[in-house]
Amino acid sequence: MSLSAASAPDPHPLPTALLATLDHLGEGLLVVSPRGEVIYVNALGAECFRLSPGELQNRCLWQVLPQLAQDFPIFTRTYRRALADRFPLEIAETQLYSLQTLHIRFVPTAEALLIYCRDITIQRQTQLELQCYMAREHLFVALDQRICQSLDLEEVLMTTVEEVRSFLDADRALIYQYQADSRPREPDRSPPETFAPHPDRPTPNHGETVTTVLVAQSCAPGWKLPQDQTVRDPTIASDPDPVPTHDTLPPSSSLPPTAQACLTVPIFQDDQRWGCLMVQQCAYCREWQVVEIQVLEGLAMRLVVAIRQAELYQRVQHLNVALEQKVQERTAQLEQAIAWEAMLKRITDRVRDSLDESQILQQAVRELATALNVGSCNAALYNLEQGTSTIYYEFVTTLPASQGRVAKMTDYPELYKQLLQGRYFQFCSITPNPVRGHAAMLACPIFDNCGILGDLWLVNQAEHSFSEVEIRFAQQVANQCAIALRQAKLYQEAQAQVAKLEELNHLKDDFLSTVSHELRTPMTNLKMAIKMLGLAAQEQQRAIAEVLPEPNAQLVHLHQRMGNYLSILGQECEREIQLINDLLDLQRLEANAQPVTPQPLDLPTWLPEQVHGFYDRAREHQQTLQVNLTPDLPLLYTDHPSLGRVVAELLNNACKYTPPGETIALQATVLPSQSFQLQVTNTGVEISPTEQRRIFNKFYRIASNDPWRQGGTGLGLALVQQLAQRLGGQITVDSGTGWTCFQLTIPVTLTP
């Protein structure tokens, strides 16, 4: 069809009712005849084309808009196609004169072409802004995630330049870091700058220059910069906030001449400029948009977080290294302290377990010299009466030996005055020793609350200095040496006293043995004399009876009294002989003078024979004596006299201390350990725990438990204990409320 204007108006006007409806339509409408005349246009339709309704009504569209075919080719093509195809078409989005964006629909009818148009400029701009905002936020989120996921600043910077170059579609994205240089500045002969320093930004000190270092870049092919590029720029640190332009660059910048447009955003950290983020367009000149500047500023702010995070991480790493070093030092100190503690424990254990002074002190000087790694360590003992100090113990590694050296205290008063007062000191000899030369020395006194005993010396090379820890450690060793010396001295004194006591004990035993032997003979004679007196009295009584058929009452009474006296003399004589025999037997047992002769012993036959003599005595004292023998008693191989003496002493002791009406029980059993056990239990009497520990001592008696007041020497249970040991066993006692039990345990077979 032709786009030329028609010569006459359209013969088909629209109805009035329809026109009223179209005026209130919510979008712009143009009704165009097939020949191009505008039959009808509402207010919104005219506004979309930047005209009034009167300028379009009944006019040819191509005359009113002469540039429509030239500047609006999409409109022209779609218009023709809708008329030709008689099919509705639309243009979703197009621009008119590059000023506004329209949405247009062509609806052909039988009589005309309806053109619906809607101005979507604001919606389009909003959509573009929203897309840009979403892309910017996506960029920020990606960088934030990278910052959160990585502590490597170099990686974060590289990600930043790559993302920003891609987002802005630039040729180069660079990050420079500023490094202050305190070297004197070159005289600046360039014209004065046209800008003043920002009042809120610090300026470099006088004479201070700044070097910019390229730390990250992302470039399109052919635009890469040297990675080691650095520029000394004294003005860049005081550069005000940039005003991005595409045709001017900072006066002192180091940008290469290939950059046609540059956008630079500073990166501040703690009010100090750290560097800058720079975007360059190299292929053509470009004017930067506000949103692009905002994106760059947002990235710069996030880089501040990454830089601070990286610096904090580096600081933490440095702190970790320092902490690790301190931990290692502390560990070494603890290991050394543990080693010293172990060494001190060894010395302490030796002091506790040994009374040998020489072994303890020799180990102490050796352990101390090894632990402190000194050339020599020695211990000297004092003779305060003679005023001398003698080195008795020494351990040397690199220095000459001094063991056996005797020093007069009066020859070194400045040293021994402090030592005698219990004070340590260290010094370095001014005058070299003829043997060891210059040396560093530490002297610690060996003393306790009773006085000074000696000293402990540590000698090392002249450049060495003893620390407080080493001094305290040496003092602890000196204290242990003092304990060892005092302990050894007390032990020697105790040994001397023990020797004297043993000597007195031997004298006592010799005296008792001598006296017992000496008393035994006269007592035997006395017993014989008493027996002869009894026989003489009987003969005299028979003679008187022959002379006097009727005995005189006085004579009978006299003979009775004589018989009583002779009976008392006989009993007391027997008691004295028994005491002497007990003393001699105990002495022989303690001296182990009698050999042991094991012989087979049939217990069921032998034990009743030993007990038989005590039945009458138990009845006399109104006691009950019981014997209980298990049927499986084995054949013993033991010493018969010793076992018989034990049984007799235990039964005699039970009869003596059991009250009337009570029971004495003797029981013989075999233990699972193949040992023979003999128990003698009596009721009605008990022994306190305190007395149980003493009843086996010689001459100890519990007089309050003797109801018959028979007395005794206190040697019976002492003999039982010695005899039990002679038989290879032991005797024990147990007592409770109203009962006491003595237990003899011996092996079934005695080894001589």
Side-chain angles (χ1 to χ4, degrees):
M1 64 174 288
S2 173
L3 295 179
S4 60
S7 58
D10 195 299
H12 303 287
L14 296 174
T16 303
L18 177 61
L19 293 176
T21 303
L22 296 177
D23 286 338
H24 295 86
L25 193 65
E27 58 182 338
L29 173 65
L30 279 78
V31 181
V32 182
S33 68
R35 292 177 299 187
E37 291 89 356
V38 178
I39 301 174
Y40 171 79
V41 59
N42 63 4
L44 290 178
E47 185 179 350
C48 287
F49 291 93
R50 304 293 179 90
L51 295 172
S52 64
E55 292 175 326
L56 287 173
Q57 186 73 34
N58 299 322
R59 302 281 301 273
C60 181
L61 185 63
W62 314 113
Q63 292 176 350
V64 177
L65 301 174
Q67 298 180 348
L68 205 58
Q70 176 183 350
D71 293 344
F72 210 5
I74 299 177
F75 180 89
T76 304
R77 290 195 301 269
T78 310
Y79 177 87
R80 290 174 177 175
R81 185 177 174 186
L83 286 177
D85 297 342
R86 310 301 296 174
F87 191 81
L89 296 175
E90 68 176 303
I91 303 174
E93 183 177 308
T94 188
Q95 290 184 337
L96 180 64
Y97 311 132
S98 301
L99 297 176
Q100 63 187 130
T101 303
L102 300 179
H103 179 273
I104 302 174
R105 289 185 294 123
F106 297 91
V107 181
T109 64
E111 302 296 337
L113 178 65
L114 303 180
I115 302 176
Y116 295 92
C117 55
R118 183 160 45 93
D119 190 346
I120 60 170
T121 304
I122 297 177
Q123 292 89 328
R124 179 58 178 164
Q125 290 177 351
T126 303
Q127 181 182 6
L128 292 176
E129 290 178 1
L130 180 60
Q131 291 176 355
C132 182
Y133 174 79
M134 293 179 64
R136 181 183 61 184
E137 292 302 316
H138 177 75
L139 177 62
F140 289 165
V141 169
L143 185 59
D144 290 340
Q145 289 179 350
R146 176 63 64 182
I147 293 174
C148 294
Q149 294 172 359
S150 175
L151 294 173
D152 187 352
L153 181 59
E154 182 179 355
E155 180 182 352
V156 174
L157 296 181
M158 286 302 301
T159 302
T160 302
V161 294
E162 291 173 358
E163 294 286 349
V164 72
R165 190 179 74 83
S166 175
F167 181 79
L168 299 181
D169 193 20
D171 292 331
R172 270 199 297 252
L174 310 171
I175 295 179
Y176 283 94
Q177 183 179 2
Y178 301 156
Q179 298 180 354
D181 189 353
S182 60
R183 292 178 293 180
R185 288 178 50 180
E186 299 265 339
D188 188 5
R189 297 181 176 86
S190 62
E193 304 293 344
T194 59
F195 55 82
H198 195 285
D200 296 332
R201 298 289 185 256
T203 59
N205 297 327
H206 178 70
E208 183 182 86
T209 61
V210 175
T211 301
T212 61
V213 180
L214 180 61
V215 294
Q217 67 171 319
S218 175
C219 304
W223 301 108
K224 188 173 183 180
L225 295 178
Q227 189 64 35
D228 57 349
Q229 182 191 34
T230 59
V231 178
R232 292 184 62 201
D233 189 348
T235 64
I236 199 167
S238 60
D239 197 8
D241 290 338
V243 179
T245 60
H246 69 278
D247 54 352
T248 60
L249 301 174
S252 302
S253 70
S254 58
L255 297 176
T258 55
Q260 300 297 317
C262 175
L263 176 60
T264 305
V265 175
I267 302 173
F268 287 96
Q269 183 183 11
D270 299 332
D271 294 332
Q272 297 292 330
R273 179 171 285 189
W274 181 89
C276 64
L277 174 60
M278 185 181 298
V279 181
Q280 298 175 359
Q281 198 70 45
C282 303
Y284 59 89
C285 187
R286 175 176 177 175
E287 183 174 352
W288 306 100
Q289 302 299 319
V290 175
V291 65
E292 296 173 334
I293 299 175
Q294 292 175 350
V295 168
L296 216 59
E297 290 176 343
L299 292 176
M301 294 177 60
R302 281 161 173 78
L303 285 179
V304 172
V305 176
I307 293 168
R308 182 177 292 109
Q309 180 174 289
E311 290 183 350
L312 289 175
Y313 175 71
Q314 292 177 357
R315 189 179 305 172
V316 169
Q317 290 297 99
H318 291 319
L319 291 175
N320 286 338
V321 171
L323 180 61
E324 181 65 24
Q325 184 177 1
K326 289 183 179 180
V327 169
Q328 292 177 358
E329 293 175 356
R330 183 58 177 166
T331 302
Q333 294 176 358
L334 290 176
E335 290 177 351
Q336 184 184 58
I338 291 173
W340 289 359
E341 186 69 22
M343 186 271 284
L344 188 63
K345 185 178 183 302
R346 289 194 296 271
I347 297 176
T348 305
D349 292 342
R350 179 59 63 89
V351 170
R352 182 192 61 198
D353 300 337
S354 176
L355 296 172
D356 190 340
E357 168 191 315
S358 60
Q359 289 185 4
I360 296 173
L361 295 185
Q362 187 60 46
Q363 180 184 5
V365 297
R366 181 176 65 254
E367 296 274 9
L368 188 57
T370 304
L372 300 185
N373 193 24
V374 296
S376 173
C377 180
N378 63 70
L381 301 182
Y382 290 171
N383 188 331
L384 298 179
E385 295 180 357
Q386 298 180 4
T388 60
S389 172
T390 305
I391 299 177
Y392 284 100
Y393 311 99
E394 184 180 35
F395 182 82
V396 296
T397 56
T398 60
L399 297 177
S402 301
Q403 189 167 352
R405 184 177 63 85
V406 180
K408 294 287 292 183
M409 296 182 181
T410 54
D411 294 341
Y412 308 95
E414 67 281 0
L415 302 180
Y416 286 99
K417 181 179 179 181
Q418 299 184 64
L419 291 172
L420 291 173
Q421 292 175 353
R423 294 183 296 175
Y424 76 91
F425 58 89
Q426 66 169 320
F427 66 95
C428 183
S429 58
I430 300 176
T431 303
N433 187 279
V435 179
R436 60 174 175 258
H438 288 287
M441 289 173 280
L442 171 65
C444 293
I446 300 175
F447 68 98
D448 58 9
N449 55 351
C450 296
I452 191 80
L453 300 173
D455 56 39
L456 198 63
W457 285 77
L458 287 86
V459 186
N460 212 352
Q461 302 299 329
E463 63 275 6
H464 182 78
S465 176
F466 294 95
S467 64
E468 290 295 329
V469 177
E470 292 175 332
I471 293 174
R472 288 197 299 270
F473 182 66
Q475 287 178 314
Q476 291 178 342
V477 175
N479 292 337
Q480 294 300 320
C481 292
I483 295 173
L485 290 172
R486 187 63 66 185
Q487 185 174 273
K489 185 176 180 180
L490 292 175
Y491 176 71
Q492 292 172 0
E493 294 176 355
Q495 287 296 100
Q497 293 180 356
V498 169
K500 290 182 180 179
L501 291 175
E502 288 180 351
E503 183 180 358
L504 291 175
N505 191 46
H506 287 309
L507 290 175
K508 179 202 67 173
D509 290 341
D510 293 342
F511 172 75
L512 288 176
S513 178
T514 303
V515 169
S516 298
H517 282 287
E518 292 298 327
L519 290 177
R520 194 170 187 178
T521 300
M523 291 305 298
T524 303
N525 295 333
L526 184 59
K527 182 178 179 181
M528 182 62 67
I530 293 172
K531 185 177 181 180
M532 296 303 295
L533 284 176
L535 294 175
Q538 291 177 1
E539 292 179 357
Q540 183 181 13
Q541 187 176 5
R542 285 196 298 269
I544 293 174
E546 293 177 353
V547 175
L548 298 175
E550 294 294 332
N552 190 333
Q554 293 182 350
L555 289 176
V556 172
H557 181 66
L558 178 61
H559 283 293
Q560 290 177 351
R561 290 175 59 190
M562 289 179 61
N564 291 335
Y565 293 151
L566 289 175
S567 176
I568 292 173
L569 286 174
Q571 292 176 1
E572 294 301 322
C573 182
E574 193 65 34
R575 283 186 58 194
E576 294 301 323
I577 292 174
Q578 184 63 37
L579 173 61
I580 294 171
N581 290 334
D582 289 345
L583 286 173
L584 291 175
D585 292 341
L586 189 59
Q587 182 186 8
R588 284 192 294 267
L589 289 173
E590 290 177 348
N592 199 18
Q594 293 181 342
V596 178
T597 306
Q599 293 180 351
L601 181 63
D602 184 19
L603 288 173
T605 304
W606 180 82
L607 268 178
E609 294 178 355
Q610 303 299 317
V611 179
H612 182 73
F614 290 91
Y615 283 109
D616 294 338
R617 184 175 177 182
R619 283 193 297 270
E620 181 181 350
H621 290 167
Q622 302 175 7
Q623 301 164 346
T624 302
L625 178 59
Q626 299 175 353
V627 177
N628 301 318
L629 304 179
T630 57
D632 57 345
L633 289 178
L635 188 67
L636 290 182
Y637 287 87
T638 187
D639 186 71
H640 294 192
S642 299
L643 183 58
R645 183 72 179 273
V646 170
V647 173
E649 290 292 343
L650 291 178
L651 290 175
N652 181 64
N653 190 69
C655 291
K656 183 186 298 185
Y657 295 107
T658 301
E662 300 296 338
T663 302
I664 302 172
L666 184 144
Q667 183 177 3
T669 57
V670 178
L671 301 179
S673 60
Q674 296 301 313
S675 298
F676 171 70
Q677 186 178 78
L678 184 69
Q679 294 181 344
V680 177
T681 305
N682 56 329
T683 60
V685 66
E686 60 185 82
I687 303 175
S688 66
T690 302
E691 292 178 331
Q692 289 179 25
R693 294 190 293 268
R694 302 177 59 188
I695 58 175
F696 294 105
N697 296 338
K698 290 186 292 186
F699 304 108
Y700 181 77
R701 294 177 60 253
I702 309 176
S704 60
N705 285 1
D706 185 2
W708 311 108
R709 301 295 185 266
Q710 297 183 15
T713 60
L715 294 176
L717 292 179
L719 279 170
V720 169
Q721 188 179 53
Q722 292 293 330
L723 290 169
Q725 295 175 1
R726 176 182 173 85
L727 295 174
Q730 62 178 354
I731 183 72
T732 59
V733 62
D734 193 12
S735 183
T737 303
W739 61 273
T740 298
C741 178
F742 287 88
Q743 298 176 346
L744 172 68
T745 305
I746 60 174
V748 174
T749 302
L750 176 63
T751 302

